[in-house]
């Protein structure tokens, strides 16, 4: 369960380019929900997702994840939450270019505090789910945009996280592939994962249980 209370995010604090990107965002996302986050470019969607994914901090308010207040934790505690509970598909994919596809997908397993057996098998099964098992040994710098997007998705789901956060996960994909990926998210949701998808695509948003609309750093709907 995710609870956000009055989250304020300010970039570049006390610098000339200081910028408040979120002005007090409150929301609740229950376990097992599939939520779309929509809004214009620059509205604050990625900012919000990064806070939810514990890869960025916020200046005031409270973010509680399964009863834990996510604020001022140690780097170790953040890393543990990220690794065990969250899977994130970054808008720019954030792959390691000179690693192969399967090496990228295995990263969360390598970072796991728990001992993971059959890492390769797990990574392959995530790649199969993302429809790119045949690319396992290819270096990531030789992939197309859509293929990279699927690698990022495979890496986000490989640890079977309770919460999957995806920033425009179908942005680089054609309609048919986009539908396949959405079906994968729906299937993971059926199996119990909470899914939060940032999207420009209304067709994608409409297939979620709920739509959160952000405008200028505020939830308006
Ligand atoms: N690291 C940063 N430093 C300063 N300002 C930032 C930073 N990241 C984002 N911003 C600003 O915060 C605002 C929200 O950005 P954000 O990336 O969250 O928008 P978005 O809704 O994801 O847009 P898009 O649909 O284009 O991806 C924008 O005005 C952006 O310029
Ligand atoms: Mg964005």
């Amino acid at each position: 369960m995710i609870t956000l209370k009055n989250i304020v995010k300010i970039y570049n604090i006390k610098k000339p380019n200081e910028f408040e990107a979120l002005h007090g965002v409150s929301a609740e996302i229950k376990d097992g929900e599939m939520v779309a986050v929509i809004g214009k470019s620059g509205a604050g969607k990625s900012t919000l997702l990064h806070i939810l994914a514990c890869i960025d901090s916020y200046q005031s308010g409270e973010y509680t994840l399964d009863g834990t207040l996510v604020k001022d934790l140690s780097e170790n505690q953040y890393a543990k939450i990220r690794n065990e509970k969250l899977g994130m598909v970054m808008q720019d994919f954030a792959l390691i270019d000179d690693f192969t596809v399967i090496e990228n997908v295995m990263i969360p397993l390598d970072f796991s505090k728990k001992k993971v057996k059959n890492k390769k098998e797990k990574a392959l099964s995530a790649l199969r789910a993302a429809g790119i098992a045949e690319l396992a040994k290819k270096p990531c710098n030789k992939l197309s945009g859509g293929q990279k997007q699927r690698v990022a998705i495979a890496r986000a789901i490989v640890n079977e996280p309770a919460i999957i956060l995806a920033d425009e996960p179908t942005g680089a994909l054609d309609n048919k592939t986009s539908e396949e990926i959405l079906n994968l998210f729906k299937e993971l949701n059926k199996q119990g994962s909470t899914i939060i998808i940032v999207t420009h695509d209304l067709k994608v948003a409409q297939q979620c249980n709920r739509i959160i609309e952000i405008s200028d750093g505020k939830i308006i709907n």
Side-chain angles (χ1 to χ4, degrees):
M1 165 99 167
I2 288 171
T3 314
L4 299 172
K5 267 191 211 151
N6 279 314
I7 297 290
V8 173
K9 171 68 193 179
I10 307 170
Y11 288 112
N12 307 318
I13 294 177
K14 295 199 177 128
K15 293 195 184 133
N17 56 349
E18 181 173 295
F19 183 77
E20 188 170 305
L22 298 178
H23 319 292
V25 165
S26 300
E28 215 177 74
I29 298 169
K30 296 195 176 70
D31 291 347
E33 276 198 276
M34 181 156 169
V35 178
V37 177
I38 62 167
K40 292 204 179 98
S41 181
K45 304 179 299 293
S46 295
T47 301
L48 178 65
L49 220 63
H50 294 165
I51 291 171
L52 290 173
C54 297
I55 53 181
D56 204 357
S57 60
Y58 53 96
Q59 277 57 55
S60 67
E62 283 183 0
Y63 167 24
T64 315
L65 174 58
D66 297 336
T68 302
L69 178 62
V70 181
K71 188 156 207 176
D72 304 328
L73 303 176
S74 70
E75 199 35 60
N76 243 337
Q77 286 170 308
Y78 277 114
K80 191 168 180 318
I81 294 179
R82 278 197 296 263
N83 190 258
E84 288 178 2
K85 290 193 191 236
L86 305 165
M88 171 87 189
V89 183
M90 300 285 285
Q91 191 166 13
D92 61 2
F93 318 135
L95 302 174
I96 300 180
D97 261 351
D98 37 353
F99 276 25
T100 63
V101 165
I102 194 160
E103 283 166 350
N104 265 283
V105 175
M106 281 167 64
I107 292 171
L109 303 174
D110 289 331
F111 275 96
S112 182
K113 295 262 190 290
K114 291 182 246 161
K115 203 158 166 43
V116 186
K117 281 190 220 151
N118 309 327
K119 286 185 190 172
K120 264 211 173 121
E121 198 33 61
K122 279 216 165 93
L124 270 176
S125 126
L127 285 171
R128 250 177 254 125
I132 46 167
E134 75 283 1
L135 296 177
K137 291 190 179 144
K138 213 165 174 180
C140 277
N141 55 20
K142 300 254 159 68
L143 301 178
S144 73
Q147 290 169 333
K148 284 185 185 171
Q149 188 137 48
R150 290 176 186 236
V151 180
I153 290 165
R155 188 180 56 186
I157 64 176
V158 72
N159 246 351
E160 296 166 29
I163 302 171
I164 296 166
L165 303 140
D167 201 346
E168 296 282 359
T170 60
L173 305 177
D174 58 87
N175 279 343
K176 182 170 166 285
T177 315
S178 166
E179 207 176 298
E180 279 167 31
I181 292 299
L182 195 65
N183 285 336
L184 168 62
F185 283 130
K186 280 191 192 161
E187 186 54 40
L188 291 164
N189 179 244
K190 252 196 222 152
Q191 291 164 23
S193 298
T194 306
I195 315 264
I196 305 171
I197 304 181
V198 168
T199 184
H200 273 108
D201 186 345
L202 263 187
K203 263 197 281 174
V204 172
Q206 276 159 358
Q207 296 188 59
C208 296
N209 314 131
R210 185 151 69 96
I211 299 179
I212 293 177
E213 186 175 0
I214 302 191
S215 172
D216 282 331
K218 279 205 151 221
I219 291 184
I220 55 166
N221 218 330

